[in-house]
Amino acid sequence: HPHEIASQATAERRSFVALPREVEGTRASRKLRRSGWIPSILYGGSGFGNPQLLQVETKALNKELRELKGSFNDTLYDLHVGEKTYSVLPRQLQIHPATDRIQNLTFMAYEPGVHAVDIPLKVANEDRCVPIRRGAFFLQVSHKIKCKVEEGFEIPPFLEVDLTGAANKEVLRISKVRRPEGVKFLVTDT
């Protein structure tokens, strides 16, 4: 199966355990949420077949959201469903507008080189930037860059912007971002 991965998870990769669910609909979903589970669904890419109805433990999902904050949707997970393990990206997290409780989570089977991910930017060497040492500040406009990661390479947790030698009022373009091997930027300097 193209989206199934070996049962051994990568040491750095995060994981979820999901259980298959048979029933769908508003009543069934409400009952699931009351019992500590979040209704979920796994969609695939090419050759995956029908979407799978799943349920994920609320406590585990809340822990991931607290730890990852804004990068949850761009974190690659090993999703364990019974005996199978899938490489997935969370794609849609539905939150109730009044209670802020999680209503539903959608996963998408990850295909390296096909699916785009937003990788967060991290500023490095601020202490080596003369204007910042003299009281200037760095105004970050973009916080993530849309990329594709080739097969055989892991999605990096962040991309580094080196401020060494940056001049006062300089606009840093994407060409100043260190691009790891296997990562292709989907945006260009403008």
Side-chain angles (χ1 to χ4, degrees):
H1 200 279
H3 302 289
E4 237 175 87
I5 59 171
S7 59
Q8 302 170 333
T10 306
E12 300 167 15
R13 192 174 294 170
R14 303 176 86 88
S15 66
F16 269 116
V17 175
L19 301 175
R21 64 182 166 106
E22 301 298 320
V23 292
E24 60 182 309
T26 305
R27 275 189 165 161
S29 294
R30 196 175 300 136
K31 187 175 179 181
L32 259 181
R33 286 189 288 271
R34 278 195 303 262
S35 64
W37 295 87
I38 299 295
S40 184
I41 192 162
L42 170 60
Y43 288 102
S46 56
F48 185 74
N50 294 329
Q52 293 183 40
L53 296 176
L54 305 171
Q55 60 190 46
V56 176
E57 192 177 16
T58 305
K59 192 187 299 184
L61 180 56
N62 283 330
K63 180 180 181 243
E64 287 296 309
L65 290 170
R66 272 192 313 274
E67 289 179 9
L68 294 175
K69 297 180 177 66
S71 64
F72 174 72
N73 282 343
D74 299 302
T75 301
L76 191 60
Y77 284 90
D78 288 335
L79 182 66
H80 305 284
V81 183
E83 297 293 315
K84 296 181 179 178
T85 301
Y86 301 95
S87 182
V88 300
L89 290 168
R91 274 300 172 225
Q92 187 176 25
L93 184 68
Q94 294 178 351
I95 309 272
H96 191 280
T99 64
D100 283 339
R101 289 196 179 126
I102 301 166
Q103 298 295 295
N104 192 316
L105 174 61
T106 301
F107 291 104
M108 183 174 57
Y110 175 70
E111 294 180 72
V114 174
H115 293 112
V117 291
D118 291 326
I119 302 176
L121 293 171
K122 180 180 173 184
V123 177
N125 298 321
E126 286 182 86
D127 57 330
R128 294 184 178 171
C129 181
V130 175
I132 288 179
R133 287 198 326 244
R134 291 182 179 161
F137 61 93
F138 176 70
L139 177 62
Q140 188 169 348
V141 176
S142 297
H143 296 275
K144 294 182 177 187
I145 295 180
K146 190 167 285 299
C147 304
K148 283 190 180 177
V149 180
E150 296 173 15
E151 191 164 355
F153 295 93
E154 288 292 319
I155 298 172
F158 59 86
L159 298 170
E160 196 171 275
V161 180
D162 190 0
L163 293 183
T164 303
N168 197 20
K169 297 183 181 182
E170 179 180 359
V171 176
L172 301 178
R173 305 271 182 209
I174 196 165
S175 54
K176 289 277 195 178
V177 176
R178 290 187 188 145
R179 188 177 59 82
E181 186 179 1
V183 174
K184 177 184 175 191
F185 296 152
L186 298 180
V187 293
T188 57
D189 285 338
T190 53

